[in-house]
Amino acid sequence: EAGVVQSPRYKIIEKKQPVAFWCNPISGHNTLYWYRQNLGQGPELLIRYENEEAVDDSQLPKDRFSAERLKGVDSTLKIQPAELGDSAVYLCASSFGTSGTDTQYFGPGTRLTVL
Amino acid sequence: TQLLEQSPQFLSIQEGENLTVYCNSSSVFSSLQWYRQEPGEGPVLLVTVVTGGEVKKLKRLTFQFGDARKDSSLHITAAQPGDTGLYLCAGEDNNAGNMLTFGGGTRLMVKP
């Protein structure tokens, strides 16, 4: 069974440019998460989807970040415009549900460098 | 905001040594999870502990959840180079939609 797929794996952009990340969750997983992981730190949740509904986006900087999950499957996370402080690894994860027994499976992440 | 502090942040040991890493919080969690993350990859779940005082073993790894469900430890016996990686603890709060709060991680290097 394929795991969580993310692309691109690496992205280097100049500040003020837009950037987008794509995530394809594990088939059948209803819940999708986007995390940001700064260097030397643990992941921090940006947004969580249950099917196509964003149910927790309190940590998403809405002035420059946006996300969508059309048809409740794939998701994209966009930053416009990017700032130097946005350099980080952006992780996507999926789970079947949101109960304590539903394991989150993480993708390999997209490493963003903003110059 | 619930915070999880992990210690030590870095640990470099020789193959065969034992080690313990800690995950502490002032908050109570419904459950606590331990993950291992290798460079260029996402975190992979190792174990979930749910009951206060619970101890789980996974081969040479022993996980313990504190009685008050505020802290946890991971003990590795006879560490091997394949144990090298970033160990993350994450607390789950059923009152916050099962949101996971991650600690900062312990970066372990096991030298042959």
Side-chain angles (χ1 to χ4, degrees):
Chain A
E1 180 180 309
V4 177
V5 179
Q6 291 188 246
S7 68
R9 292 294 310 274
Y10 305 92
K11 189 73 176 178
I12 301 175
I13 61 172
E14 294 187 346
K15 64 180 180 182
K16 299 184 181 180
Q17 294 300 306
V19 65
F21 315 124
W22 175 80
C23 173
N24 178 238
I26 292 173
S27 178
H29 280 193
N30 300 314
T31 307
L32 184 146
Y33 312 76
W34 281 103
Y35 289 87
R36 177 169 60 189
Q37 185 173 24
N38 292 315
L39 189 63
Q41 298 182 21
E44 295 177 308
L45 181 69
L46 292 174
I47 189 168
R48 182 183 74 178
Y49 283 92
E50 289 184 17
N51 299 305
E52 32 319 312
E53 182 182 359
V55 295
D56 185 353
D57 63 354
S58 57
Q59 302 302 312
L60 190 72
K62 297 181 182 62
D63 57 336
R64 297 182 299 107
F65 286 65
S66 64
E68 62 181 7
R69 190 183 184 198
L70 299 176
K71 300 181 181 179
V73 181
D74 295 358
S75 177
T76 57
L77 177 68
K78 298 178 181 178
I79 308 175
Q80 182 171 11
E83 297 180 351
L84 295 176
D86 296 331
S87 294
V89 174
Y90 291 83
L91 294 163
C92 178
S94 70
S95 64
F96 181 75
T98 57
S99 77
T101 57
D102 288 312
T103 301
Q104 290 188 31
Y105 294 87
F106 285 81
T110 296
R111 180 176 295 277
L112 173 67
T113 302
V114 183
L115 303 175
Chain B
T1 302
Q2 297 175 311
L3 296 175
L4 277 169
E5 295 188 359
Q6 290 188 241
S7 61
Q9 284 185 291
F10 303 96
L11 190 56
S12 180
I13 60 172
Q14 293 294 134
E15 181 177 3
E17 292 184 9
N18 301 332
L19 67 115
T20 302
V21 298
Y22 300 92
C23 175
N24 295 297
S25 175
S26 58
S27 302
V28 176
F29 291 100
S30 309
S31 66
L32 197 134
Q33 301 177 1
W34 284 93
Y35 292 78
R36 189 167 77 116
Q37 185 177 20
E38 298 191 35
E41 300 296 330
V44 176
L45 180 66
L46 296 174
V47 77
T48 299
V49 285
V50 179
T51 306
E54 182 177 4
V55 177
K56 281 191 174 179
K57 292 191 176 183
L58 186 66
K59 297 183 180 179
R60 294 176 293 99
L61 279 60
T62 301
F63 305 86
Q64 184 164 7
F65 202 10
D67 291 341
R69 293 187 286 135
K70 293 181 179 181
D71 53 83
S72 181
S73 63
L74 159 59
H75 181 80
I76 301 179
T77 304
Q80 299 177 1
D83 296 327
T84 294
L86 178 67
Y87 288 83
L88 295 159
C89 67
E92 186 172 25
D93 183 1
N94 284 347
N95 296 321
N98 296 324
M99 188 180 82
L100 283 181
T101 300
F102 280 85
T106 293
R107 189 165 297 280
L108 171 66
M109 178 175 291
V110 183
K111 301 175 185 176

Coordinates of all heavy atoms in Angstrom, one line a residue, chain B residues 5-90:
Chain B
E5 N 8.2 19.1 26.9 CA 9.6 19.4 26.9 C 10.3 18.0 26.9 O 10.0 17.2 27.7 CB 10.1 20.2 28.1 CG 9.5 21.6 28.0 CD 10.1 22.5 29.1 OE1 10.9 22.0 29.9 OE2 9.7 23.6 29.2
Q6 N 11.3 17.9 25.9 CA 12.0 16.6 25.9 C 13.5 16.9 26.3 O 14.1 17.9 26.0 CB 12.0 16.1 24.4 CG 10.6 15.5 24.0 CD 10.7 14.8 22.7 OE1 10.0 15.2 21.8 NE2 11.4 13.7 22.7
S7 N 14.0 15.9 27.0 CA 15.4 16.0 27.4 C 16.1 14.6 27.3 O 15.4 13.6 27.5 CB 15.5 16.5 28.8 OG 14.8 15.7 29.7
P8 N 17.3 14.5 27.0 CA 18.1 15.7 26.5 C 17.8 16.0 25.1 O 17.1 15.3 24.4 CB 19.6 15.1 26.6 CG 19.4 13.7 26.4 CD 18.1 13.3 27.0
Q9 N 18.3 17.2 24.6 CA 18.0 17.5 23.2 C 18.9 16.7 22.3 O 18.5 16.4 21.2 CB 18.3 19.0 23.0 CG 17.2 19.9 23.6 CD 17.5 21.4 23.2 OE1 18.4 22.0 23.7 NE2 16.7 21.9 22.4
F10 N 20.1 16.4 22.7 CA 21.1 15.7 21.9 C 21.7 14.6 22.8 O 22.0 14.8 24.0 CB 22.2 16.6 21.4 CG 21.7 17.7 20.5 CD1 21.5 19.0 21.1 CD2 21.4 17.6 19.2 CE1 21.0 20.0 20.3 CE2 20.9 18.6 18.4 CZ 20.7 19.8 19.0
L11 N 22.0 13.5 22.2 CA 22.6 12.4 22.9 C 23.5 11.6 21.9 O 23.0 11.1 20.9 CB 21.5 11.5 23.5 CG 22.0 10.4 24.5 CD1 22.8 11.1 25.7 CD2 20.8 9.7 25.1
S12 N 24.7 11.5 22.3 CA 25.7 10.7 21.4 C 26.3 9.6 22.3 O 26.9 9.9 23.3 CB 26.8 11.6 20.9 OG 27.7 10.9 20.1
I13 N 26.1 8.4 21.9 CA 26.6 7.3 22.8 C 27.2 6.2 21.9 O 27.1 6.2 20.7 CB 25.4 6.6 23.6 CG1 24.4 6.0 22.6 CG2 24.8 7.6 24.5 CD1 23.3 5.2 23.3
Q14 N 27.9 5.3 22.5 CA 28.5 4.2 21.8 C 27.6 3.0 21.7 O 26.7 2.8 22.6 CB 29.8 3.7 22.6 CG 30.9 4.7 22.6 CD 31.5 5.0 21.2 OE1 31.7 6.1 20.8 NE2 31.7 3.9 20.4
E15 N 27.7 2.2 20.7 CA 26.9 1.0 20.5 C 27.0 0.1 21.8 O 28.1 0.0 22.4 CB 27.4 0.2 19.3 CG 26.7 -1.0 19.0 CD 27.2 -1.7 17.7 OE1 28.1 -1.2 17.1 OE2 26.6 -2.7 17.3
G16 N 25.9 -0.4 22.2 CA 25.8 -1.3 23.4 C 25.4 -0.6 24.7 O 25.1 -1.2 25.7
E17 N 25.5 0.8 24.7 CA 25.1 1.5 25.9 C 23.6 1.6 26.0 O 22.8 1.4 25.0 CB 25.7 2.9 25.9 CG 27.2 2.9 26.0 CD 27.8 4.3 26.0 OE1 27.0 5.3 26.2 OE2 29.0 4.5 26.0
N18 N 23.1 1.8 27.3 CA 21.7 2.1 27.5 C 21.5 3.5 27.6 O 22.4 4.3 27.9 CB 21.3 1.4 28.8 CG 21.6 -0.1 28.8 OD1 21.5 -0.7 27.8 ND2 21.8 -0.7 30.0
L19 N 20.2 4.0 27.4 CA 19.9 5.4 27.5 C 18.4 5.5 27.8 O 17.6 4.7 27.5 CB 20.2 6.1 26.1 CG 19.3 5.7 25.0 CD1 18.5 6.8 24.5 CD2 20.2 5.1 23.8
T20 N 18.1 6.7 28.3 CA 16.7 7.1 28.6 C 16.5 8.5 28.2 O 17.3 9.4 28.5 CB 16.4 6.9 30.1 OG1 16.7 5.6 30.5 CG2 14.9 7.3 30.4
V21 N 15.4 8.7 27.5 CA 15.0 10.1 27.1 C 13.7 10.4 27.8 O 12.9 9.5 28.0 CB 15.0 10.3 25.6 CG1 16.3 10.1 25.0 CG2 13.9 9.4 25.0
Y22 N 13.5 11.6 28.1 CA 12.3 12.0 28.9 C 11.4 13.0 28.1 O 11.9 13.8 27.3 CB 12.8 12.7 30.2 CG 13.6 11.7 31.0 CD1 15.0 11.7 30.9 CD2 13.0 10.8 31.9 CE1 15.8 10.8 31.6 CE2 13.8 10.0 32.6 CZ 15.1 10.0 32.5 OH 15.9 9.1 33.3
C23 N 10.2 13.0 28.5 CA 9.2 13.9 27.8 C 8.3 14.4 29.0 O 7.6 13.5 29.6 CB 8.4 13.1 26.8 SG 7.0 13.9 26.1
N24 N 8.3 15.7 29.3 CA 7.6 16.2 30.4 C 6.7 17.3 30.1 O 6.9 18.1 29.2 CB 8.6 16.7 31.5 CG 9.5 15.6 32.0 OD1 9.0 14.7 32.7 ND2 10.8 15.6 31.7
S25 N 5.6 17.4 30.8 CA 4.6 18.5 30.6 C 3.9 18.8 31.9 O 3.9 18.0 32.9 CB 3.6 18.1 29.6 OG 2.6 19.0 29.5
S26 N 3.4 20.0 32.0 CA 2.5 20.3 33.2 C 1.1 20.0 32.9 O 0.2 20.1 33.8 CB 2.7 21.8 33.5 OG 2.3 22.6 32.4
S27 N 0.8 19.6 31.7 CA -0.6 19.3 31.3 C -0.8 17.8 31.3 O 0.1 17.0 31.1 CB -0.9 19.8 29.9 OG -0.6 21.2 29.8
V28 N -2.1 17.4 31.5 CA -2.5 16.0 31.4 C -2.9 15.7 29.9 O -3.6 16.5 29.3 CB -3.7 15.7 32.3 CG1 -4.2 14.3 32.2 CG2 -3.3 16.0 33.8
F29 N -2.5 14.6 29.5 CA -2.8 14.1 28.1 C -3.7 12.9 28.1 O -3.5 12.0 29.0 CB -1.5 13.9 27.3 CG -0.8 15.2 26.9 CD1 0.3 15.5 27.7 CD2 -1.2 16.0 25.9 CE1 1.0 16.7 27.4 CE2 -0.6 17.2 25.6 CZ 0.6 17.5 26.4
S30 N -4.5 12.7 27.2 CA -5.4 11.5 27.0 C -4.5 10.3 26.7 O -4.7 9.2 27.1 CB -6.4 11.8 25.9 OG -7.1 13.0 26.2
S31 N -3.5 10.6 25.9 CA -2.5 9.5 25.5 C -1.2 10.2 25.1 O -1.2 11.4 24.8 CB -3.1 8.7 24.3 OG -3.2 9.4 23.2
L32 N -0.2 9.4 25.0 CA 1.1 10.0 24.5 C 1.7 9.0 23.5 O 1.6 7.8 23.7 CB 2.0 10.2 25.7 CG 3.2 11.1 25.4 CD1 3.3 12.1 26.6 CD2 4.4 10.3 25.2
Q33 N 2.2 9.6 22.5 CA 2.8 8.8 21.4 C 4.3 9.1 21.3 O 4.7 10.2 21.5 CB 2.1 9.1 20.1 CG 0.6 8.8 20.2 CD -0.1 9.2 18.9 OE1 0.5 9.6 17.9 NE2 -1.4 8.9 18.8
W34 N 5.0 8.1 20.9 CA 6.5 8.3 20.6 C 6.7 7.9 19.1 O 6.2 6.9 18.6 CB 7.3 7.3 21.4 CG 7.5 7.8 22.8 CD1 6.7 7.5 23.9 CD2 8.5 8.7 23.3 NE1 7.2 8.1 25.0 CE2 8.3 8.8 24.7 CE3 9.6 9.4 22.7 CZ2 9.1 9.6 25.5 CZ3 10.4 10.1 23.5 CH2 10.1 10.3 24.9
Y35 N 7.4 8.8 18.4 CA 7.8 8.7 17.0 C 9.3 8.7 16.9 O 10.0 9.3 17.7 CB 7.2 9.8 16.2 CG 5.7 9.9 16.1 CD1 4.9 10.4 17.2 CD2 5.1 9.5 14.9 CE1 3.6 10.5 17.0 CE2 3.7 9.6 14.8 CZ 2.9 10.1 15.9 OH 1.6 10.2 15.7
R36 N 9.7 8.1 15.8 CA 11.1 8.2 15.4 C 11.1 8.8 14.0 O 10.4 8.4 13.1 CB 11.8 6.8 15.4 CG 13.3 7.0 15.2 CD 14.0 5.7 15.5 NE 13.9 4.7 14.4 CZ 14.9 4.2 13.7 NH1 16.1 4.6 14.0 NH2 14.6 3.3 12.8
Q37 N 12.0 9.8 13.8 CA 12.1 10.4 12.5 C 13.6 10.3 12.0 O 14.5 10.7 12.7 CB 11.7 11.9 12.6 CG 11.6 12.6 11.3 CD 11.1 14.0 11.4 OE1 11.1 14.6 12.5 NE2 10.6 14.6 10.3
E38 N 13.7 9.9 10.8 CA 15.1 9.8 10.2 C 15.2 11.0 9.2 O 14.2 11.5 8.7 CB 15.3 8.5 9.5 CG 15.2 7.3 10.5 CD 15.6 6.0 9.9 OE1 16.6 6.0 9.0 OE2 15.1 5.0 10.2
P39 N 16.4 11.4 8.9 CA 16.6 12.6 8.0 C 15.9 12.4 6.6 O 16.0 11.3 6.0 CB 18.1 12.6 7.8 CG 18.7 11.9 9.0 CD 17.7 10.9 9.4
G40 N 15.2 13.4 6.2 CA 14.5 13.4 4.9 C 13.2 12.6 4.9 O 12.6 12.4 3.9
E41 N 12.8 12.1 6.1 CA 11.5 11.4 6.2 C 10.6 12.0 7.2 O 11.0 12.8 8.1 CB 11.8 9.9 6.6 CG 12.7 9.2 5.6 CD 12.1 9.0 4.2 OE1 10.9 8.9 4.2 OE2 12.9 9.0 3.2
G42 N 9.3 11.5 7.2 CA 8.4 12.0 8.2 C 8.5 11.1 9.4 O 9.1 10.0 9.4
P43 N 7.9 11.6 10.6 CA 7.9 10.7 11.8 C 7.2 9.4 11.6 O 6.1 9.4 10.9 CB 7.2 11.6 12.8 CG 7.3 13.0 12.2 CD 7.3 12.9 10.8
V44 N 7.6 8.4 12.2 CA 7.0 7.1 12.2 C 6.6 6.7 13.6 O 7.4 6.7 14.5 CB 7.9 6.0 11.6 CG1 7.2 4.6 11.6 CG2 8.2 6.4 10.1
L45 N 5.3 6.3 13.8 CA 4.8 6.0 15.1 C 5.5 4.7 15.7 O 5.5 3.7 15.0 CB 3.3 5.8 15.1 CG 2.6 5.5 16.4 CD1 2.8 6.6 17.4 CD2 1.2 5.1 16.2
L46 N 6.0 4.8 16.9 CA 6.6 3.6 17.6 C 5.6 3.0 18.5 O 5.4 1.8 18.5 CB 7.8 4.0 18.4 CG 9.0 4.6 17.6 CD1 10.1 5.1 18.5 CD2 9.5 3.5 16.6
V47 N 4.9 3.8 19.3 CA 4.0 3.3 20.3 C 3.1 4.4 20.8 O 3.3 5.6 20.7 CB 4.8 2.8 21.5 CG1 5.3 3.9 22.4 CG2 4.0 1.8 22.3
T48 N 1.9 4.0 21.3 CA 0.9 4.9 22.0 C 0.7 4.3 23.4 O 0.4 3.1 23.5 CB -0.4 4.9 21.2 OG1 -0.2 5.4 19.9 CG2 -1.4 5.9 21.9
V49 N 0.8 5.2 24.4 CA 0.5 4.8 25.8 C -0.7 5.6 26.2 O -0.8 6.8 25.9 CB 1.7 4.9 26.7 CG1 2.7 3.8 26.5 CG2 2.3 6.3 26.6
V50 N -1.6 4.9 26.9 CA -2.9 5.5 27.2 C -3.2 5.6 28.7 O -3.7 6.6 29.2 CB -4.0 4.7 26.5 CG1 -5.4 5.3 26.8 CG2 -3.8 4.7 25.0
T51 N -2.8 4.6 29.4 CA -3.2 4.5 30.8 C -2.0 5.0 31.7 O -0.9 4.6 31.4 CB -3.5 3.0 31.2 OG1 -4.5 2.5 30.3 CG2 -4.0 2.9 32.6
G52 N -2.3 5.8 32.7 CA -1.3 6.2 33.6 C -0.6 5.0 34.2 O -1.2 4.1 34.7
G53 N 0.8 5.1 34.2 CA 1.6 4.0 34.7 C 1.9 2.9 33.8 O 2.6 1.9 34.0
E54 N 1.3 3.0 32.6 CA 1.4 1.9 31.6 C 2.9 1.8 31.1 O 3.6 2.8 30.9 CB 0.5 2.2 30.4 CG 0.6 1.2 29.3 CD -0.4 1.5 28.1 OE1 -1.1 2.6 28.2 OE2 -0.5 0.7 27.2
V55 N 3.3 0.6 30.9 CA 4.6 0.3 30.4 C 4.5 -0.6 29.1 O 3.7 -1.6 29.2 CB 5.5 -0.4 31.4 CG1 6.9 -0.8 30.8 CG2 5.7 0.4 32.6
K56 N 5.1 -0.2 28.0 CA 5.0 -1.0 26.8 C 6.5 -1.3 26.3 O 7.3 -0.4 26.4 CB 4.3 -0.3 25.7 CG 2.8 -0.4 25.8 CD 2.1 0.1 24.6 CE 0.6 -0.1 24.6 NZ -0.2 0.3 23.4
K57 N 6.7 -2.5 25.8 CA 8.0 -2.8 25.3 C 7.9 -3.2 23.9 O 7.0 -3.8 23.4 CB 8.5 -4.0 26.1 CG 8.9 -3.7 27.6 CD 9.7 -4.8 28.2 CE 10.1 -4.4 29.6 NZ 10.9 -5.4 30.3
L58 N 8.9 -2.7 23.1 CA 9.0 -2.9 21.7 C 10.5 -3.3 21.5 O 11.4 -2.5 21.3 CB 8.7 -1.7 20.9 CG 8.6 -1.8 19.4 CD1 7.5 -2.7 19.0 CD2 8.4 -0.4 18.8
K59 N 10.7 -4.7 21.5 CA 12.1 -5.2 21.4 C 13.0 -4.6 22.5 O 12.8 -4.8 23.7 CB 12.6 -5.0 20.0 CG 11.8 -5.7 18.9 CD 12.4 -5.6 17.6 CE 11.6 -6.3 16.5 NZ 12.2 -6.2 15.1
R60 N 14.0 -3.8 22.1 CA 14.9 -3.2 23.1 C 14.4 -1.8 23.6 O 15.1 -1.2 24.4 CB 16.3 -3.0 22.4 CG 16.9 -4.3 22.1 CD 18.3 -4.1 21.3 NE 18.0 -3.5 20.0 CZ 18.2 -2.2 19.8 NH1 18.5 -1.4 20.7 NH2 17.9 -1.8 18.6
L61 N 13.2 -1.4 23.2 CA 12.7 -0.1 23.6 C 11.6 -0.3 24.7 O 10.7 -1.2 24.5 CB 12.1 0.6 22.4 CG 13.1 1.4 21.5 CD1 14.1 0.5 20.8 CD2 12.3 2.2 20.4
T62 N 11.7 0.4 25.8 CA 10.7 0.4 26.8 C 10.1 1.8 27.0 O 10.8 2.7 27.2 CB 11.3 -0.1 28.1 OG1 11.8 -1.4 27.9 CG2 10.2 -0.2 29.2
F63 N 8.8 1.9 26.9 CA 8.1 3.1 27.0 C 7.2 3.1 28.3 O 6.6 2.1 28.6 CB 7.1 3.4 25.8 CG 7.8 3.3 24.5 CD1 8.0 2.0 23.9 CD2 8.3 4.4 23.9 CE1 8.6 1.9 22.7 CE2 8.9 4.3 22.6 CZ 9.1 3.1 22.0
Q64 N 7.2 4.2 29.0 CA 6.5 4.3 30.2 C 5.7 5.6 30.2 O 6.2 6.7 29.9 CB 7.3 4.2 31.5 CG 6.6 4.2 32.8 CD 7.4 3.8 34.0 OE1 8.6 3.6 33.8 NE2 6.7 3.5 35.1
F65 N 4.4 5.6 30.6 CA 3.6 6.7 30.8 C 3.5 7.0 32.3 O 3.2 6.1 33.1 CB 2.2 6.4 30.2 CG 1.4 7.6 29.8 CD1 1.9 8.9 29.8 CD2 0.0 7.5 29.5 CE1 1.1 10.0 29.4 CE2 -0.8 8.6 29.1 CZ -0.2 9.8 29.1
G66 N 3.7 8.2 32.7 CA 3.6 8.6 34.1 C 2.2 8.4 34.7 O 1.2 8.4 34.0
D67 N 2.2 8.1 36.0 CA 1.0 7.9 36.7 C -0.1 9.0 36.5 O -1.3 8.7 36.3 CB 1.2 7.7 38.2 CG 2.0 6.4 38.5 OD1 2.0 5.5 37.6 OD2 2.6 6.3 39.6
A68 N 0.4 10.2 36.4 CA -0.5 11.3 36.3 C -0.8 11.7 34.8 O -1.4 12.7 34.5 CB 0.0 12.6 37.0
R69 N -0.2 10.9 33.9 CA -0.4 11.1 32.4 C 0.1 12.5 32.0 O -0.4 13.1 31.1 CB -1.8 10.9 32.0 CG -2.2 9.4 32.1 CD -3.6 9.2 31.5 NE -4.6 9.8 32.4 CZ -5.7 10.5 31.9 NH1 -5.8 10.8 30.6 NH2 -6.6 10.9 32.8
K70 N 1.2 13.0 32.7 CA 1.8 14.2 32.3 C 3.2 14.0 31.7 O 3.8 15.0 31.1 CB 2.0 15.2 33.5 CG 0.7 15.6 34.1 CD 0.9 16.6 35.3 CE -0.4 17.1 35.9 NZ -0.1 18.0 37.0
D71 N 3.8 12.9 31.9 CA 5.2 12.7 31.4 C 5.4 11.2 30.9 O 4.5 10.3 31.2 CB 6.1 13.0 32.6 CG 5.8 12.2 33.8 OD1 6.2 11.0 33.9 OD2 5.1 12.7 34.7
S72 N 6.5 11.0 30.2 CA 6.7 9.7 29.7 C 8.2 9.6 29.5 O 9.0 10.6 29.5 CB 6.0 9.5 28.3 OG 6.3 8.3 27.8
S73 N 8.7 8.3 29.4 CA 10.1 8.1 29.2 C 10.2 7.0 28.2 O 9.4 6.1 28.0 CB 10.8 7.7 30.5 OG 10.3 6.5 31.0
L74 N 11.4 7.0 27.5 CA 11.7 6.0 26.5 C 13.1 5.5 26.9 O 14.1 6.3 27.0 CB 11.8 6.6 25.1 CG 12.6 5.8 24.0 CD1 12.1 4.4 23.8 CD2 12.5 6.6 22.7
H75 N 13.2 4.2 27.2 CA 14.5 3.6 27.5 C 14.9 2.6 26.4 O 14.1 1.8 26.0 CB 14.4 2.8 28.9 CG 15.7 2.2 29.3 ND1 16.7 3.0 29.9 CD2 16.1 0.9 29.2 CE1 17.7 2.1 30.2 NE2 17.4 0.9 29.8
I76 N 16.2 2.8 26.0 CA 16.7 1.9 25.0 C 17.8 1.1 25.6 O 18.8 1.6 26.2 CB 17.2 2.6 23.7 CG1 16.1 3.4 23.1 CG2 17.8 1.6 22.7 CD1 16.5 4.2 21.9
T77 N 17.7 -0.2 25.5 CA 18.8 -1.1 26.0 C 19.7 -1.6 24.9 O 19.2 -1.9 23.8 CB 18.1 -2.4 26.6 OG1 17.2 -2.0 27.6 CG2 19.1 -3.3 27.2
A78 N 21.0 -1.5 25.2 CA 22.0 -2.0 24.2 C 21.8 -1.3 22.8 O 21.5 -2.0 21.8 CB 22.0 -3.5 24.1
A79 N 21.9 0.0 22.8 CA 21.6 0.8 21.6 C 22.5 0.3 20.4 O 23.7 -0.1 20.6 CB 21.9 2.3 21.9
Q80 N 21.9 0.4 19.3 CA 22.6 0.0 18.0 C 22.6 1.2 17.1 O 21.8 2.1 17.2 CB 21.9 -1.2 17.4 CG 21.9 -2.4 18.3 CD 21.1 -3.6 17.7 OE1 20.6 -3.5 16.6 NE2 21.0 -4.7 18.4
P81 N 23.6 1.2 16.1 CA 23.6 2.3 15.2 C 22.3 2.6 14.4 O 21.9 3.7 14.1 CB 24.7 1.9 14.2 CG 25.6 1.1 15.1 CD 24.7 0.3 16.0
G82 N 21.5 1.5 14.2 CA 20.2 1.6 13.6 C 19.2 2.4 14.4 O 18.1 2.7 13.9
D83 N 19.5 2.6 15.7 CA 18.6 3.4 16.6 C 18.8 4.9 16.4 O 18.0 5.7 16.9 CB 18.8 3.0 18.0 CG 18.5 1.6 18.4 OD1 17.6 1.1 17.7 OD2 19.2 1.0 19.2
T84 N 19.8 5.3 15.6 CA 20.1 6.7 15.4 C 18.9 7.4 14.7 O 18.3 6.8 13.8 CB 21.3 6.9 14.5 OG1 22.5 6.4 15.2 CG2 21.5 8.3 14.1
G85 N 18.5 8.6 15.2 CA 17.4 9.3 14.7 C 16.9 10.3 15.7 O 17.5 10.5 16.7
L86 N 15.8 11.0 15.3 CA 15.2 12.0 16.1 C 13.9 11.3 16.8 O 13.1 10.8 16.1 CB 14.7 13.2 15.3 CG 14.0 14.3 16.0 CD1 14.9 15.0 17.0 CD2 13.4 15.3 15.0
Y87 N 13.9 11.3 18.1 CA 12.8 10.7 18.8 C 11.9 11.8 19.3 O 12.3 12.7 20.0 CB 13.3 9.9 20.0 CG 14.0 8.6 19.5 CD1 15.3 8.6 19.1 CD2 13.2 7.4 19.4 CE1 15.9 7.4 18.6 CE2 13.8 6.2 18.9 CZ 15.1 6.3 18.5 OH 15.7 5.1 18.0
L88 N 10.6 11.7 18.9 CA 9.6 12.8 19.2 C 8.5 12.2 20.1 O 8.0 11.1 19.8 CB 9.0 13.3 18.0 CG 9.9 14.1 17.0 CD1 9.3 14.1 15.6 CD2 10.1 15.5 17.5
C89 N 8.2 12.9 21.1 CA 7.0 12.5 21.9 C 5.8 13.5 21.5 O 6.1 14.6 21.1 CB 7.2 12.5 23.4 SG 7.5 14.1 24.1
A90 N 4.6 13.0 21.5 CA 3.5 13.8 21.2 C 2.3 13.5 22.1 O 2.0 12.3 22.2 CB 3.1 13.6 19.7

